[in-house]
Amino acid sequence: MSSFRNHRIIIASLFLPSTAVLGESNPPTPDLHLPPPVAPGVSPALLQSNTKPRTPPFRHQPSRSLGSNTPVGPLKSIVEDLKSRAVTPTASSPGVESTNPFSKFASLTSPRNGSPLSGAASPVPELADSIMSPRKFMTTHADIQHMARLQRKQSSRSSSRRPERDYFGTNGGSYQPWHVEPNSHCNGGLKNAVDSVKDRLRQKLWVGTLGSSTDSFGEEMRSNVDRRMKEQYNSLPVWIPDAEFESCYDEFCHQVLWPCLHYAVPDAPKTKLFYESASFKQYVAVNQRFADAIIENYQEGDLIWVNDYHLMLLPSMLRAHPKLADAPIGFFLHVAFPSSEIFRCLSVRESLLRGVLAADLVGFQTASYARHFRQTVSRILALEALPKGIQVEGAEHGRFVDVGVFPMGIDVGALREKKREADVSYWVQLLKQRYAGMKIVVGRDKLDEVQGVRHKLDAFEQFLKKYPEFQQQVVLIQVALQTTESNELAGGVSDVVSRINSQFSTLTYQPVVFLHTQDLTFSQYLALLTVADAFLVTSLREGMALRTHEFVECQEGRHRPLILSEFTGSYSYSGFRSCIAINPYDTRGTAKAIHQALTMSDEEALSRWEDLHNHVVTQTAQTFVTSFLTRCVRANTEHVSQTILSSVAPLDTARLLPRYKHSSKRLLLFDFEGSIWQRDMTRAGLLAPFEPPKETIALLNKFAEDSRNEVWLLSGMPVKGVMEKIADAAPNIGIVAENGCFIKTRPTRKEAFTWINMVANFNLTWKGACVEILNYFTERTPGSFVEEREASVVWRFWTGPTDDCSDRQWARRQAAEAQNHIFDRQVPRLRISRLLGERYGLRIIPGANSFLVLPNNISRSTAVGAILHPGGPAHSPRSGRAAWMSPDPGDDENMSDEVTFVFAVGGDEKLLRRLNELDNAETCSTSRKGTDARWKLDPKETMPVLWQFANLR
């Protein structure tokens, strides 16, 4: 099967990682000069003051090098800073210092308990004013309450290094310089994840907008931007008129889709925008412009990765073009997906769902979001929704869309490298001295209503009231991301901060320190995370809170606790259940959680941190990218193969019989049901006692008579009452029963055959809950019944005629609902409630009229791998060096007795695909579906064809 490394990856996201900006770039960043941390007793000027007013937040205020007042370009986003900013402090003094108005009161600016800090020169004025000196909360933004969320006409100033620049005319005819710099609007988590696997993504192409006003760009300039962005930055700009983009982004995306996806549906009498938005036309137009750009630049073999809710229509637009009819397309939603009861409120719900369903793979951050999507599709579009995905346009001849869970993570290695930089250590020491003897609670959020910052502040206020002994001993440092005055007003933050600070502040103590991302660099932020005594997240709804991952890794030496909202995607993972979970709507409960975190013993904190750390280092950015792209390639391969069955040749006995005849050692793998035995699938036939089919037994015994043959029968049927009868009738063959749960070995001269239990160490208590669910649906589905086997469970939901009648359609809907219930049932475990499928690691194999539930890591493929492995149940040498067999590295077994001919006949496409990795294997599919097998054979013709091989001597 093809790997994603063999494809060029087209990454479609609304904003490109880099953007073109009109104007000259600033000079390179000057050398950094930082003073060493001030030792006790040293009294230089305590702090610097900042008299320069802050620019509006949407303009991305220029950053300053630590120790300089000279603007050196825009403050990088956290992800950008992580990747590109590297500075080394020296022992020199700052080049410019300003006098702090509180410097004459050095003893007053120290913590109340007389900490050893008596002063230090602060290299960053904003941080000095915000963190080091007491001040009441005051908004200094421009009056932009009625401006759009994204100000495309206000481009960021310039990069901290001198980029290349060009001079090209705008529509006005004048010639202006322009340069390329990091795009502060891009999806930082996605860019960071893609950069973390740059050694494996040898070819990629970003497709997106520049994130700034482009109407003034002339054709000559656009052509030059296109050329340089593609050649130097692997990026393809999508040119969209400003008015069209603003209507799409500011209105439909942020006032319709964003509230819906985050459970913030407005009250109908108060607004009609959500329900009757005319901006959907612009949303369609923007998606179409993306589609046109991708189609024009598409090359055979490209894999297209569509990202986030801004581009939900793009997969269907791409799939509709003949050029991309079979192209691999994946869609990943970075934010939450709501319950069907919320999503159904959208007037354009069907268009959005069908747009996404044109992809081969639809990915989500958590199992809950994936479940909500499946249920929404089932209830709104009346399609069959299975745990693995969605059956589109009929079960027999339609497409199947995979739905998967791919939690995003961080680049742990890059973060550790950043933490080791000297300026991070400097700020750690400075903060420890400034807040010696005090507790620090840190938060970092956007200020919109969904992030729950007001709930956090209310809880902190309640904490100070309920536990007065912590007054003047605890400070909350809240960092706000890319916000505007309207965000702050909507979030209701300003008045709460003012109220808390006015109530609890003293001359030397300010309980809430409020910062914007313009106020500190990423190095300073990492220092905050390192010295924090708790990190507090109170989101009302959120995807993956990657800032919590950063906090966990920054706490490697201190192991302080994480307070996490149960409504974040991160909390849904078992590794993050070791946090202190809160309901952000419960103010008193959150206040109690803050107290618990600040008074937690070191032993408990370490135990909790270890669980969190193990999850973070496992769920990395690299794992996210590779698992999503690999699954997308595999899904596309499976889907495309379903449409090209005619390209697979019928089994050519004239070619295979000579190979079979002249082989010295043969391995024969035959599927039982559907290949060499056609089972009576009526209700009476299914319930009748099993009798071994005589012709099938005769064929197996005929093959087993030849000493050169090793014959294995692969079946999904149980041992008791079925396969044990086969074993008695054909004693010299090996048997795989219950889809790999049990293996009967072939007898030898020294040993008789034995039954090996491959699930002996598995917890099978899930069967009780599973059977209970299926019995419930059996009562409501006429003609259905449950088959409980030793290690698996089968539900026969339809035993009538095979035509697609209304009753069968109803039974299939019931089956889909039953499968979702099995996966989604809550199972209590100590203090934690987990889903049945997650808790026990279950998988479901759907069929046309039934489905099978069994343990996740058991299959016919794993059974055959065990058979072929040296020392396995077959007692036979390897037949090849396929990686999936995982042979022992030091094995030096004599290969002279190696199997020279492998012949597999059956309908397990996964097994056939893996056997194709063997050079001496011939695979033949009897599934009558699209296949990767080298040959195909109608099940009715299987027995006559196999008799030709059996009779050959």
Side-chain angles (χ1 to χ4, degrees):
M1 181 171 52
S2 176
S3 166
F4 72 86
R5 301 187 189 193
N6 301 325
H7 298 257
R8 183 179 71 160
I9 312 298
I10 298 179
I11 308 168
S13 184
L14 188 64
F15 298 111
L16 293 173
S18 302
T19 185
V21 178
L22 293 175
E24 291 277 5
S25 61
N26 278 353
T29 305
D31 292 337
L32 180 70
H33 298 287
L34 289 177
V38 179
V42 180
S43 301
L46 179 65
L47 297 169
Q48 296 177 348
S49 65
N50 176 29
T51 57
K52 187 174 180 178
R54 180 188 300 142
T55 58
F58 61 84
R59 288 186 141 188
H60 305 293
Q61 178 176 344
S63 63
R64 293 169 170 80
S65 66
L66 301 182
S68 171
N69 286 333
T70 305
V72 295
L75 188 69
K76 292 181 176 64
S77 69
I78 281 175
V79 174
E80 284 300 315
D81 189 86
L82 174 63
K83 286 295 181 185
S84 62
R85 186 177 176 278
V87 292
T88 304
T90 67
S92 305
S93 300
V96 180
E97 287 192 15
S98 57
T99 304
N100 188 289
F102 291 98
S103 60
K104 65 180 66 177
F105 305 109
S107 61
L108 297 179
T109 53
S110 298
R112 167 167 289 197
N113 62 358
S115 73
L117 174 65
S118 58
S122 174
V124 179
E126 292 93 343
L127 193 63
D129 279 348
S130 302
I131 297 184
M132 303 301 178
S133 62
R135 65 179 174 86
K136 296 289 189 282
F137 172 79
M138 179 175 65
T139 301
T140 57
H141 303 162
D143 184 12
I144 52 174
Q145 179 176 356
H146 303 293
M147 289 187 180
R149 174 176 295 204
L150 174 63
Q151 303 289 340
R152 302 183 78 224
K153 297 181 181 180
Q154 300 289 345
S155 60
S156 53
R157 297 280 179 93
S158 58
S159 176
S160 59
R161 64 182 184 274
R162 183 186 295 275
E164 298 179 38
R165 62 182 184 272
D166 285 296
Y167 294 81
F168 277 95
T170 61
N171 287 336
S174 60
Y175 286 83
Q176 297 186 28
W178 67 277
H179 62 276
V180 177
E181 66 179 35
N183 192 343
S184 60
H185 301 303
C186 78
N187 186 326
L190 175 64
K191 179 186 181 298
N192 185 28
V194 171
D195 287 347
S196 70
V197 293
K198 57 186 177 183
D199 57 326
R200 282 171 277 184
L201 286 184
R202 299 184 181 91
Q203 300 180 71
K204 62 177 178 290
L205 178 66
W206 289 88
V207 179
T209 67
L210 297 176
S212 59
S213 175
T214 57
D215 280 358
S216 62
F217 286 27
E219 288 300 321
E220 188 177 6
M221 179 177 178
R222 293 190 181 196
S223 298
N224 187 263
V225 169
D226 283 340
R227 176 187 58 78
R228 183 138 65 88
M229 291 291 285
K230 191 169 184 178
E231 292 177 356
Q232 300 179 14
Y233 299 92
N234 297 317
S235 297
L236 175 66
V238 179
W239 302 97
I240 301 174
D242 291 349
E244 181 177 288
F245 183 92
E246 289 171 4
S247 180
C248 164
Y249 184 78
D250 296 323
E251 186 173 329
F252 189 79
C253 289
H254 279 160
Q255 298 184 51
V256 179
L257 275 182
W258 177 267
C260 172
L261 295 173
H262 292 83
Y263 288 78
V265 178
D267 191 10
K270 296 181 181 179
T271 176
K272 291 186 177 181
L273 177 64
F274 180 88
Y275 304 94
E276 301 177 9
S277 174
S279 59
F280 183 65
K281 294 181 180 179
Q282 285 71 41
Y283 182 82
V284 174
V286 168
N287 276 254
Q288 187 61 57
R289 291 182 186 274
F290 269 79
D292 294 341
I294 293 174
I295 292 170
E296 182 178 352
N297 290 270
Y298 176 79
Q299 301 172 5
E300 187 68 27
D302 285 351
L303 188 157
I304 303 171
W305 184 3
V306 182
N307 288 274
D308 231 358
Y309 62 99
H310 315 98
L311 303 174
M312 294 181 74
L313 301 178
L314 182 55
S316 62
M317 293 176 174
L318 295 173
R319 189 69 72 193
H321 195 278
K323 188 178 178 181
L324 283 76
D326 294 327
I329 301 175
F331 176 86
F332 186 79
L333 187 67
H334 292 260
V335 298
F337 194 90
S339 160
S340 60
E341 293 301 313
I342 300 294
F343 198 86
R344 68 188 300 191
C345 296
L346 290 173
S347 60
V348 293
R349 59 194 187 184
E350 291 194 22
S351 299
L352 295 174
L353 292 176
R354 294 193 183 279
V356 170
L357 288 175
D360 294 294
L361 172 65
V362 181
F364 296 90
Q365 298 273 23
T366 73
S368 295
Y369 302 154
R371 180 177 74 254
H372 291 162
F373 176 76
R374 296 194 309 265
Q375 292 174 343
T376 299
V377 169
S378 175
R379 293 168 184 174
I380 293 178
L381 301 182
L383 296 177
E384 183 182 359
L386 305 172
K388 185 184 176 183
I390 308 295
Q391 184 67 52
V392 182
E393 299 171 355
E396 302 297 337
H397 305 290
R399 293 178 56 252
F400 188 84
V401 180
D402 281 31
V403 176
V405 178
F406 307 91
M408 183 177 277
I410 63 172
D411 187 346
V412 177
L415 183 64
R416 288 174 177 170
E417 182 179 345
K418 181 67 179 180
K419 284 194 307 176
R420 289 193 290 266
E421 292 185 1
D423 55 336
V424 177
S425 300
Y426 167 79
W427 281 104
V428 168
Q429 294 302 318
L430 194 63
L431 288 168
K432 283 182 178 179
Q433 292 177 357
R434 171 62 184 89
Y435 292 102
M438 300 186 70
K439 300 289 187 181
I440 303 175
V441 180
V442 176
R444 172 175 162 262
D445 311 88
K446 292 182 179 179
L447 292 187
D448 54 40
E449 295 174 280
V450 173
Q451 295 297 316
V453 178
R454 184 183 180 94
H455 297 73
K456 178 187 302 186
L457 295 170
D458 287 338
F460 186 69
E461 181 182 24
Q462 180 70 24
F463 163 76
L464 293 177
K465 291 179 179 178
K466 186 175 181 180
Y467 305 97
E469 66 273 16
F470 281 94
Q471 294 178 17
Q472 304 184 37
Q473 299 298 318
V474 178
V475 60
L476 170 64
I477 300 179
Q478 176 64 43
V479 181
L481 297 175
Q482 295 183 355
T483 57
T484 65
E485 183 76 8
S486 58
N487 290 134
E488 295 181 19
L489 292 175
V493 171
S494 304
D495 58 329
V496 183
V497 175
S498 299
R499 184 178 73 234
I500 296 174
N501 282 345
S502 63
Q503 184 176 359
F504 297 101
S505 288
T506 67
L507 185 61
T508 60
Y509 171 70
Q510 175 180 315
V512 179
V513 177
F514 192 88
L515 305 172
H516 291 80
T517 50
Q518 297 94 329
D519 295 332
L520 75 168
T521 66
F522 187 55
S523 296
Q524 295 159 350
Y525 174 64
L526 290 183
L528 273 179
L529 296 184
T530 303
V531 303
D533 294 283
F535 191 82
L536 180 56
V537 177
T538 54
S539 302
L540 307 183
R541 194 70 59 173
E542 188 174 0
M544 198 59 59
L546 295 184
R547 58 194 182 280
T548 62
H549 297 223
E550 295 166 344
F551 169 74
V552 169
E553 288 309 297
C554 285
Q555 286 289 316
E556 194 166 5
R558 301 188 64 235
H559 314 129
R560 300 318 301 164
L562 168 67
I563 308 172
L564 182 63
S565 166
E566 63 189 40
F567 298 112
T568 61
S570 300
Y571 180 72
S572 66
Y573 288 93
S574 57
F576 267 80
R577 300 294 173 84
S578 293
C579 67
I580 301 176
I582 59 169
N583 176 357
Y585 296 99
D586 180 6
T587 302
R588 294 182 179 179
T590 304
K592 184 178 179 181
I594 297 174
H595 180 265
Q596 178 185 352
L598 297 181
T599 58
M600 182 177 294
S601 67
D602 291 342
E603 294 76 12
E604 181 183 354
L606 174 60
S607 176
R608 290 174 177 265
W609 179 86
E610 287 175 343
D611 291 340
L612 296 170
H613 170 71
N614 290 336
H615 180 82
V616 170
V617 298
T618 303
Q619 179 195 305
T620 62
Q622 292 89 339
T623 302
F624 162 70
V625 175
T626 55
S627 61
F628 182 86
L629 295 180
T630 300
R631 175 81 176 271
C632 188
V633 172
R634 187 175 75 223
N636 176 260
T637 300
E638 294 173 353
H639 302 164
V640 171
S641 67
Q642 295 175 0
T643 64
I644 56 174
L645 179 60
S646 59
S647 63
V648 180
L651 182 65
D652 188 350
T653 55
R655 289 181 57 183
L656 292 191
L657 285 173
R659 280 198 61 194
Y660 175 85
K661 181 178 181 179
H662 297 292
S663 298
S664 60
K665 190 170 183 60
R666 311 167 187 137
L667 178 66
L668 309 179
L669 304 168
F670 301 138
D671 269 5
F672 186 40
E673 308 98 295
S675 293
I676 61 174
W677 175 54
Q678 305 305 314
R679 190 177 186 184
D680 182 359
M681 300 304 293
T682 65
R683 181 180 177 83
L686 292 170
L687 295 175
F690 174 78
E691 291 296 335
K694 296 181 180 180
E695 186 181 6
T696 300
I697 297 298
L699 177 68
L700 294 174
N701 285 327
K702 186 67 173 179
F703 274 117
E705 288 176 1
D706 193 331
S707 60
R708 294 176 294 175
N709 291 342
E710 290 187 8
V711 185
W712 288 84
L713 185 65
L714 314 180
S715 174
M717 300 190 70
V719 174
K720 293 183 179 179
V722 181
M723 300 315 295
E724 61 184 8
K725 294 183 178 180
I726 297 289
D728 292 338
N732 293 322
I733 68 170
I735 297 176
V736 173
E738 285 200 40
N739 291 286
C741 294
F742 300 91
I743 296 178
K744 172 200 163 289
T745 62
R746 296 173 61 250
T748 66
R749 295 179 180 178
K750 297 181 180 181
E751 298 178 3
F753 72 83
T754 58
W755 283 98
I756 300 176
N757 186 350
M758 303 295 288
V759 293
N761 297 325
F762 285 60
N763 185 345
L764 299 179
T765 56
W766 58 268
K767 290 173 57 185
C770 179
V771 171
E772 180 184 349
I773 293 172
L774 294 178
N775 285 336
Y776 171 86
F777 281 93
T778 298
E779 295 175 358
R780 289 155 180 79
T781 310
S784 64
F785 63 94
V786 180
E787 290 182 16
E788 183 176 359
R789 300 173 179 175
E790 191 165 345
S792 58
V793 179
V794 177
W795 190 43
R796 307 282 181 184
F797 56 83
W798 180 253
T799 55
T802 56
D803 59 312
D804 204 21
C805 60
S806 58
D807 288 343
R808 190 186 182 201
Q809 292 177 0
W810 163 254
R812 294 189 68 87
R813 292 287 301 277
Q814 288 289 88
E817 195 73 15
Q819 293 177 50
N820 288 321
H821 272 276
I822 292 170
F823 259 74
D824 303 337
R825 175 163 179 165
Q826 294 285 339
V827 178
R829 183 190 181 193
L830 299 178
R831 295 173 300 170
I832 301 174
S833 179
R834 298 177 64 186
L835 303 180
L836 184 66
E838 174 191 354
R839 168 70 180 83
Y840 294 99
L842 303 180
R843 71 186 181 108
I844 293 179
I845 302 176
N849 300 307
S850 64
F851 65 79
L852 170 70
V853 187
L854 74 167
N856 197 21
N857 295 320
I858 293 296
S859 68
R860 300 188 191 193
S861 294
T862 59
V864 172
I867 292 168
L868 294 174
H869 194 281
H875 305 290
S876 64
R878 292 177 301 219
S879 61
R881 296 184 179 270
W884 60 281
M885 296 175 194
S886 304
D888 297 331
D891 179 54
D892 57 352
E893 181 175 351
N894 186 355
M895 298 300 293
S896 61
D897 197 28
E898 186 176 287
V899 171
T900 57
F901 183 71
V902 178
F903 188 29
V905 179
D908 190 324
E909 295 300 329
K910 183 178 181 181
L911 173 61
L912 297 177
R913 187 161 51 246
R914 298 183 108 178
L915 287 172
N916 281 338
E917 298 175 21
L918 303 175
D919 294 334
N920 53 3
E922 295 291 345
T923 53
C924 180
S925 173
T926 59
S927 66
R928 288 185 286 195
K929 298 178 180 178
T931 180
D932 287 331
R934 293 170 181 164
W935 310 97
K936 65 181 178 182
L937 191 61
D938 190 284
K940 297 178 181 179
E941 301 173 359
T942 304
M943 291 295 289
V945 170
L946 291 182
W947 271 112
Q948 295 182 46
F949 286 87
N951 290 325
L952 191 64
R953 286 292 184 268

